[in-house]
């Protein structure tokens, strides 16, 4: 069953920057208010043109609304996520967390089989508000990949 309001984030380690730099998702949001958004793949069209840039552009608004951490999760390796962070000027704004084995994606049950287009299991497109490790709301795109409810503008009204 997909993660839902009231659930606690799973204790899963993701990678940030390089494969040896581990970040435990539950620990990252302990005592903090934050946003996690998941994307099917770094450098893919909607992810690169709209989803990530929206969170970068609305960074100041989200911080003003009390958000301490903004994290992007994708089933990619840490090097790809690092390059994507640089490409989108997300440094210091959005934590780019690689989920190379889809461990987090599977733990929150928000994956889908994208073998035909992206080579394997990928994350559905979603966003969630988290407070002290507890999910306050989840926005999952109905078609798994579109951008109708999981963008920064939608999250702003929920934080």
């Amino acid at each position: 069953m997909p993660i839902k309001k009231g659930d606690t984030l799973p204790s899963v380690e993701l990678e940030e920057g390089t494969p040896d730099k581990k970040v435990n998702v539950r620990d990252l949001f302990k005592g903090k208010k934050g946003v996690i958004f998941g994307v099917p793949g770094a450098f893919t069209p909607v992810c690169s043109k709209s989803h990530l840039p929206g969170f970068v552009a609305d960074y100041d608004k989200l911080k003003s609304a009390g958000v301490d951490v903004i994290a992007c999760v994708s089933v990619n390796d840490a090097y790809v996520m690092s390059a994507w962070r640089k490409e989108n000027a997300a440094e210091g704004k959005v934590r780019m967390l690689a989920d190379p084995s889809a461990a987090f994606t599977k733990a929150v049950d928000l994956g889908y089989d994208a073998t035909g287009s992206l080579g394997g299991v990928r994350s559905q497109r979603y966003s969630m508000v988290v407070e002290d490790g507890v999910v306050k709301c989840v926005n999952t795109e109905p078609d798994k990949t579109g951008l109708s409810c999981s963008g920064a503008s939608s999250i702003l009204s929920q934080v």
Side-chain angles (χ1 to χ4, degrees):
M1 173 179 284
I3 196 164
K4 64 188 179 315
K5 180 179 179 177
D7 288 349
T8 299
L9 289 175
S11 180
V12 175
E13 287 192 340
L14 299 178
E15 301 171 0
E16 186 175 32
T18 59
D20 62 328
K21 186 176 178 198
K22 306 293 185 192
V23 175
N24 183 289
V25 178
R26 185 181 294 163
D27 292 347
L28 178 62
F29 289 91
K30 187 175 184 177
K32 297 176 185 158
K33 182 177 184 178
V35 172
I36 301 173
F37 66 102
V39 298
F43 293 104
T44 58
V46 174
C47 304
S48 292
K49 292 179 183 160
S50 303
H51 209 185
L52 174 58
F55 282 96
V56 172
D58 285 344
Y59 171 79
D60 290 329
K61 292 177 187 174
L62 288 161
K63 291 300 269 189
S64 293
V67 171
D68 300 304
V69 179
I70 303 167
C72 175
V73 176
S74 184
V75 181
N76 285 109
D77 66 68
Y79 299 115
V80 167
M81 292 297 281
S82 182
W84 196 38
R85 179 187 67 238
K86 291 174 188 168
E87 177 85 14
N88 284 277
E91 184 73 42
K93 295 181 178 181
V94 178
R95 304 279 302 261
M96 303 298 282
L97 303 178
D99 188 12
S101 66
F104 179 78
T105 298
K106 291 174 184 173
V108 296
D109 196 18
L110 289 173
Y112 77 103
D113 183 0
T115 301
S117 58
L118 296 171
V121 172
R122 291 299 180 121
S123 173
Q124 295 180 42
R125 188 179 309 284
Y126 67 86
S127 61
M128 65 177 87
V129 176
V130 178
E131 289 184 26
D132 194 22
V134 177
V135 176
K136 296 300 177 185
C137 68
V138 180
N139 309 297
T140 305
E141 294 296 340
D143 69 352
K144 299 181 177 49
T145 61
L147 188 57
S148 64
C149 67
S150 64
S153 59
S154 295
I155 267 302
L156 270 167
S157 67
Q158 299 170 323
V159 289

